[in-house]
Amino acid sequence: MAERTLTYAEDLKPEDVRALETFLNVQLGRVYEEVGETGEKSFAMRSLLRLVCDSAELLCILLAVERPERWQRAAIVREWQRLRSTAHEFNHCEGYDHDRWWNQVRHFDASDETAEQDRIRRFADVGPYPETRH
């Protein structure tokens, strides 16, 4: 059975986030073992592991919001992209599945996508500066 593919961030579930977090922790843990427990690289790896956990936790909290406000919707997209782009760096590792659902999502839902396309069209029609008459 094929994994489902995400189109929008509204399709995310906490299980998706936890699966991606687990994948990242395994991959980063392997790197951390090679780096060792002392030195600047070790500090950087611990920080990265912490950031992954914090980002995943924030994302799970935001996903629990029943009707997220606009800033929360944007934060959900941003946090998913942060985790997903970190995982993308490990696409050469054994166990990474390119068809998995931790793909890129650019919008929270279809209405956000439509609104952004409308903003782009308006900007293209009007330009960055309104005309001024003297």
Side-chain angles (χ1 to χ4, degrees):
M1 184 170 103
E3 296 277 356
R4 64 193 173 85
T5 300
L6 292 173
T7 302
Y8 299 114
E10 74 173 347
D11 301 325
L12 284 169
K13 300 194 177 344
E15 309 85 70
D16 300 334
V17 176
R18 294 301 177 208
L20 181 52
E21 179 186 24
T22 298
F23 173 79
L24 279 166
N25 284 332
V26 167
Q27 299 304 326
L28 293 172
R30 290 181 7 192
V31 174
Y32 184 73
E33 287 176 12
E34 291 179 25
V35 167
E37 293 189 23
T38 59
E40 289 180 8
K41 289 180 184 175
S42 174
F43 300 145
M45 285 305 303
R46 279 195 298 251
S47 293
L48 184 54
L49 285 164
R50 205 171 300 117
L51 288 172
V52 164
C53 291
D54 289 349
S55 189
E57 188 61 32
L58 174 59
L59 186 49
C60 284
I61 289 168
L62 290 169
L63 289 176
V65 175
E66 193 168 319
R67 289 188 200 137
E69 295 179 26
R70 189 173 186 178
W71 72 267
Q72 292 167 318
R73 293 159 67 107
I76 289 169
V77 172
R78 183 192 66 232
E79 292 305 315
W80 177 256
Q81 287 304 99
R82 181 176 295 176
L83 288 172
R84 174 250 150 228
S85 64
T86 302
H88 184 72
E89 298 301 322
F90 290 98
N91 67 358
H92 63 282
C93 295
E94 183 180 332
Y96 187 88
D97 180 356
H98 290 278
D99 294 326
R100 244 192 179 134
W101 34 256
W102 52 59
N103 58 339
Q104 184 169 348
V105 294
R106 296 183 186 275
H107 308 281
F108 183 79
D109 60 13
S111 66
D112 280 358
E113 182 176 17
T114 301
E116 183 173 332
Q117 289 171 351
D118 289 345
R119 281 191 297 274
I120 291 168
R121 274 192 289 280
R122 278 194 312 275
F123 184 79
D125 291 343
V126 175
Y129 305 105
E131 287 187 44
T132 55
R133 298 184 187 243
H134 295 283

